[in-house]
Amino acid sequence: MTNIPETGRTPRVQTRLVVIQILVLSLLGTLGGRLWYLQIREGAEYQKEASGNHVQQVVDPAVRGDILDARGVPLADNETRLVVSASRTDLLKQRDDGRAVLTKLAGVLGMRPEDVLQKVRLCDAETPQPCWNGSPYQPIPITDEATAKQALQIRERAEDFPGITAEPEAVRRYPAPGKANTAQVLGYLSPVTDEEIQKAKDTDSPYLRSDMVGRSGLERQYDKVLRGKAGVTRYEVDNLGRVIGKAESDPAESGSNLVTSIDSRVQRVAEYELDKAMKVARQQYDKITGENYKADSGAVVVMEAKTGRIVAMASAPTYDPNVWVGGISARDYKALTGKNSDYPLLNRAIQGQAAPGSTFKVVSTAAAVEAGYPFDGRYPCTSSYSVGGQVFKNFEGENFGPISLGRALEVSCDTVFYGLADKEWKRDGGINPKKGQPKDYFFKAAHQFGLGKETGVDLPNEVTGRVPDRQWKLDYWKANKDAWCKSGKKDGTYVEKIAYENCLEGNKMREGDEINYSIGQGDTLVTPIQEAVIYGAVANGGTMYQPTIGKAVVSADGRTVEEIKPRRTGKLPVSRATLKGMDDAFAGVITRGTAAWKFGGWPQDRIPLHAKTGTAEVYGKQTTSWLATYSKDYTVIMTIAQAGTGSGASGEAVRNIYSALYGVRSDGSVDQKAALLPQPQKSLPKVRTDGTIAAPKVTGDPAKDVEASQKDSTGTAGDEQPAATAPTSTSTGNTRRRPRRKGSRRMLA
């Protein structure tokens, strides 16, 4: 008979119970360990994540800093407008992707439905402008010109416009028509892209989805300091999304202001004179073809000779930068970028490359002296110069007999420089020089003058120009040899003959190449800003400066000022004696040389001017006009494509710019009260204690603007101080108060 325990449990049952107990204890131990790990070891991290799940972030966009001229007049600032925006995320939740809502919105705004639909589509390689190139999760502005009535309609009928908002917002504003345009210098803004957000994520200046960023000009160059820092307000919410408290927040920091060396009055004069010169040129005709000059593009630079600071920079054709504000239309985009647009987005002062013509002779003269030819020597100025079967003619066949290099600059005698360049080519070994034999004084001088490389101006996308030296010839030949050999013909058209010659000897420095080069023709390319640096150095005694537009960066409250100092980049490879000879010759250009007919009656005894004219021939086009000038204070460079001679197209316009600067009347008398800027602006704008800037009002009337400027320069309010002496300062301030933060649009991050 089997013995059964008093408990009634068999050994088998008892074993099972023990196993179950062990499993239960093990599970409890595992659970306890896991709870300890989650709550003790990793508790803080999970608490942080859990908190994040109950926090909503609201972005408060920063107000972008102003761009000011040297006196504090705004070139780009902000104004509060009613902005209508669409949330693409909300629209895509609708059955028709929001098409019906956007069509209804177009009716309220008085816009075409297709224009509104184009605004919210995303940009890609196949989608033309207009389109949205910002983040798809960011509200997309439809218009920044909504009326109060339209905004009220949208907000009161919110159920009819899901995903649509109408809120006051700070919007970029550029000068109105009639004032200094400065379009290519200022640039424009557009929304930040996802790619840019990711790229800047780990930097000290990350982007938020609400940011607008500079795409060109000063807006791009100084984007980081202008942009400021958006604020983030964090709200604690429950599971139903109801706000239960306010968490830690970061206040928005307004962007700093940029004070430039641009004088808006001089800028307006430069723009007007360039435009007028081009219009006058189109009324003249080319003596060779009998056709009117096209004068299709041009540029002018006014620069301080002793600092490199840019006082004015104009490029033509130009455009209204306000077309970018709130999103550009298809019509405007085509007008700016289409084949028939003449590309007004280009800043031809730093991106326009052309043969310099006789303005290049300043380089050739320095090279000739360095090669051993005396500045005051006698050189034959004949009507033509023959090399083999080719004849190189002097301008209009002029013949001045034996003259000095200085006189050759005055009358712009080509044949003097032809002869010198030809001699140097032969001394260097001709077309087949021995290794190490070429001295290449003419090419070396161009590089020493800073050509063939960027000047370093504080604007994006500057081009380098070109010095066609031996290395360039070789590289260019290698890149184009196959095409030349395929299309070239010994007895073909002019273009085919050139291709044939380039196929055979395009890698060699030919006699004609160096002869053309000596007068700024052939493959030589320069930009107006490079010419300004060179002639500015001649004006100041030989020092080359990096051209700058930014003069100072000032915090939004005006308390922190960081001045941008002038920077020397080198010295001209010219002795004092040669520089003095050049200076006298360039003064002679004004009084008895190639520009004298345009500067007759100028008060040369009181305001000495110096100049060098240039007329560059371009195959298949009309000649390019160049006029390089300087006074003791300023360098003024003007160039107009397809406009004829340097003095003929640009002489009157450049004279008028100097007249405005110094107050010279048409009869040659000087009126100090009418002078816009008789000497460079040295001080920074006056900063008030509240961070605003005391800037003169710009009326659009030059006479009134001069009067306001004089009052501003003499009268100082009691609560103002020069930026140079502001507390903790090294640079500027603000022209007007910021748009009120209360009116800014807030967005969920």
Side-chain angles (χ1 to χ4, degrees):
M1 187 172 181
T2 304
N3 292 326
I4 299 175
E6 294 180 3
T7 59
R9 300 174 183 168
T10 64
R12 193 175 198 178
V13 171
Q14 225 169 354
T15 301
R16 287 179 178 176
L17 289 174
V18 170
V19 170
I20 290 172
Q21 289 173 348
I22 293 174
L23 287 173
V24 170
L25 290 174
S26 297
L27 289 172
L28 289 174
T30 301
L31 181 60
R34 183 59 178 169
L35 289 173
W36 176 86
Y37 178 82
L38 293 175
Q39 295 183 3
I40 307 300
R41 178 73 182 273
E42 298 293 330
E45 182 67 25
Y46 282 99
Q47 185 177 2
K48 182 179 178 181
E49 289 189 19
S51 175
N53 290 334
H54 296 281
V55 172
Q56 282 283 7
Q57 296 187 134
V58 178
V59 175
D60 187 8
V63 177
R64 193 172 180 86
D66 296 342
I67 300 176
L68 313 169
D69 86 342
R71 301 177 304 143
V73 175
L75 298 173
D77 60 3
N78 307 287
E79 65 178 343
T80 301
R81 298 186 191 175
L82 285 172
V83 178
V84 175
S85 303
S87 169
R88 196 169 185 277
T89 303
D90 292 340
L91 292 175
L92 291 178
K93 293 177 181 177
Q94 299 171 32
R95 183 173 300 177
D96 61 351
D97 294 336
R99 189 178 186 88
V101 171
L102 294 175
T103 301
K104 191 184 304 179
L105 177 65
V108 172
L109 298 176
M111 299 174 65
R112 297 190 309 168
E114 54 266 35
D115 290 341
V116 175
L117 291 168
Q118 287 175 347
K119 292 256 188 178
V120 300
R121 64 183 181 180
L122 300 182
C123 292
D124 57 35
E126 299 178 356
T127 304
Q129 288 278 359
C131 56
W132 178 249
N133 69 344
S135 169
Y137 306 106
Q138 177 184 344
I140 302 172
I142 303 300
T143 181
D144 60 5
E145 298 179 345
T147 65
K149 181 179 179 181
Q150 290 169 339
L152 192 60
Q153 278 186 273
I154 294 169
R155 299 186 71 167
E156 286 185 340
R157 296 163 51 196
E159 68 280 2
D160 293 334
F161 297 101
I164 306 299
T165 57
E167 300 286 347
E169 186 178 345
V171 176
R172 205 58 164 168
R173 175 174 59 182
Y174 298 101
K179 298 182 181 180
N181 180 264
T182 332
Q184 294 89 349
V185 173
L186 292 173
Y188 61 92
L189 305 176
S190 71
V192 67
T193 64
D194 281 347
E195 183 180 353
E196 288 169 328
I197 292 173
Q198 289 300 318
K199 190 175 181 180
K201 184 170 60 175
D202 298 323
T203 68
D204 61 348
S205 182
Y207 289 116
L208 293 176
R209 296 192 183 279
S210 59
D211 282 335
M212 300 287 285
V213 297
R215 294 300 178 195
S216 68
L218 296 173
E219 294 280 26
R220 174 176 170 183
Q221 187 75 21
Y222 291 94
D223 181 73
K224 185 176 178 180
V225 296
L226 290 168
R227 183 166 19 106
K229 184 179 179 182
V232 178
T233 302
R234 300 174 180 86
Y235 293 98
E236 295 181 7
V237 298
D238 60 17
N239 292 335
L240 299 177
R242 295 173 297 195
V243 176
I244 58 176
K246 190 174 181 181
E248 181 184 358
S249 300
D250 300 320
E253 297 176 12
S254 295
S256 296
N257 300 312
L258 174 68
V259 175
T260 71
S261 54
I262 298 288
D263 186 296
S264 58
R265 303 163 304 167
V266 180
Q267 176 72 25
R268 189 170 66 257
V269 170
E271 291 171 352
Y272 173 80
E273 291 299 336
L274 176 61
D275 180 66
K276 180 181 175 182
M278 292 172 65
K279 289 177 179 177
V280 171
R282 294 184 194 120
Q283 297 172 6
Q284 312 300 318
Y285 67 92
D286 188 330
K287 293 180 181 179
I288 298 177
T289 64
E291 298 176 350
N292 281 39
Y293 287 114
K294 296 179 181 178
D296 52 2
S297 62
V300 59
V301 176
V302 182
M303 187 181 81
E304 293 179 8
K306 297 176 183 177
T307 64
R309 285 177 170 149
I310 304 298
V311 178
M313 178 182 284
S315 178
T318 188
Y319 70 99
D320 179 4
N322 288 291
V323 299
W324 293 96
V325 178
I328 191 168
S329 68
R331 181 179 178 182
D332 287 334
Y333 189 79
K334 184 178 180 181
L336 296 181
T337 61
K339 293 181 180 179
N340 299 322
S341 67
D342 281 332
Y343 306 105
L345 293 180
L346 285 177
N347 183 348
R348 286 173 166 82
I350 68 169
Q351 295 172 304
Q353 303 180 106
S358 292
T359 60
F360 187 75
K361 289 173 182 173
V362 64
V363 176
S364 297
T365 300
V369 173
E370 180 68 18
Y373 301 94
F375 186 83
D376 293 324
R378 310 302 287 177
Y379 307 97
C381 179
T382 56
S383 60
S384 63
Y385 189 87
S386 299
V387 175
Q390 190 170 1
V391 178
F392 295 86
K393 293 183 178 181
N394 206 5
F395 183 70
E396 294 186 347
E398 293 177 318
N399 185 335
F400 291 92
I403 58 176
S404 67
L405 286 176
R407 182 59 177 161
L409 289 174
E410 287 181 8
V411 299
S412 203
C413 180
D414 292 339
T415 51
V416 166
F417 294 95
Y418 290 154
L420 294 173
D422 195 20
K423 287 181 181 179
E424 281 308 295
W425 179 81
K426 291 173 180 176
R427 284 173 57 177
D428 281 338
I431 198 166
N432 293 307
K434 296 178 182 178
K435 186 176 181 180
Q437 183 180 358
K439 298 294 184 181
D440 282 340
Y441 285 108
F442 281 76
F443 299 108
K444 181 181 178 182
H447 288 294
Q448 291 173 325
F449 271 72
L451 298 179
K453 63 180 181 181
E454 297 175 359
T455 64
V457 63
D458 51 345
L459 288 174
N461 302 320
E462 179 188 7
V463 299
T464 62
R466 183 167 69 202
V467 177
D469 53 19
R470 296 179 191 274
Q471 185 60 51
W472 178 85
K473 291 277 289 182
L474 179 60
D475 294 341
Y476 194 66
W477 177 74
K478 288 179 179 178
N480 295 280
K481 179 185 176 183
D482 292 341
W484 284 333
C485 294
K486 184 177 181 180
S487 63
K489 292 181 181 179
K490 186 176 183 180
D491 299 319
T493 64
Y494 174 78
V495 174
E496 290 171 338
K497 288 179 181 178
I498 294 295
Y500 177 78
E501 292 177 7
N502 285 336
C503 172
L504 298 178
E505 298 179 335
N507 60 330
K508 298 180 179 181
M509 187 61 65
R510 293 167 290 193
E511 195 169 6
D513 292 332
E514 190 142 351
I515 287 174
N516 267 329
Y517 170 82
S518 69
I519 63 163
Q521 293 284 174
D523 295 310
T524 308
L525 296 176
V526 303
T527 63
I529 194 68
Q530 289 174 328
E531 292 261 271
V533 171
I534 289 173
Y535 281 90
V538 175
N540 68 36
T543 302
M544 290 185 287
Y545 284 92
Q546 177 178 313
T548 54
I549 299 176
K551 195 173 183 179
V553 174
V554 188
S555 61
D557 58 9
R559 295 183 178 277
T560 304
V561 184
E562 182 182 349
E563 191 169 356
I564 301 169
K565 298 285 188 179
R567 180 172 173 267
R568 297 179 177 87
T569 58
K571 297 283 289 184
L572 294 180
V574 184
S575 68
R576 287 188 178 182
T578 301
L579 203 58
K580 176 63 168 58
M582 287 183 177
D583 191 67
D584 292 341
F586 292 143
V589 172
I590 292 288
T591 58
R592 58 182 179 271
T594 54
W597 67 298
K598 288 292 186 180
F599 287 86
W602 179 264
Q604 189 73 356
D605 56 334
R606 296 186 60 181
I607 307 170
L609 291 186
H610 307 73
K612 183 70 197 80
T613 58
T615 307
E617 297 179 2
V618 183
Y619 176 73
K621 293 187 177 182
Q622 297 165 321
T623 53
T624 299
S625 163
W626 283 93
L627 184 55
T629 66
Y630 62 88
S631 66
K632 65 181 179 64
D633 304 301
Y634 303 105
T635 299
V636 179
I637 307 294
M638 182 175 284
T639 181
I640 305 176
Q642 304 197 89
T645 65
S647 57
S650 305
E652 185 177 346
V654 170
R655 176 174 180 155
N656 289 341
I657 291 173
Y658 280 113
S659 295
L661 285 166
Y662 292 110
V664 179
R665 297 183 180 276
S666 57
D667 61 0
S669 62
V670 179
D671 182 358
Q672 293 286 353
K673 292 183 178 180
L676 291 181
L677 204 61
Q679 58 185 12
Q681 176 86 22
K682 294 183 179 179
S683 62
L684 295 172
K686 300 179 181 68
V687 181
R688 296 191 179 98
T689 53
D690 64 355
T692 60
I693 288 183
K697 182 179 179 181
V698 177
T699 65
D701 183 335
K704 292 181 180 178
D705 290 345
V706 172
E707 183 181 354
S709 174
Q710 290 167 347
K711 289 181 179 178
D712 177 65
S713 64
T714 56
T716 302
D719 66 341
E720 296 171 0
Q721 54 187 332
T725 58
T728 67
S729 73
T730 52
S731 182
T732 6
N734 194 358
T735 43
R736 60 189 66 187
R737 298 183 186 279
R738 301 285 192 183
R740 301 175 70 178
R741 181 71 61 193
K742 185 178 180 181
S744 298
R745 181 181 65 193
R746 292 184 162 230
M747 294 171 282
L748 288 180

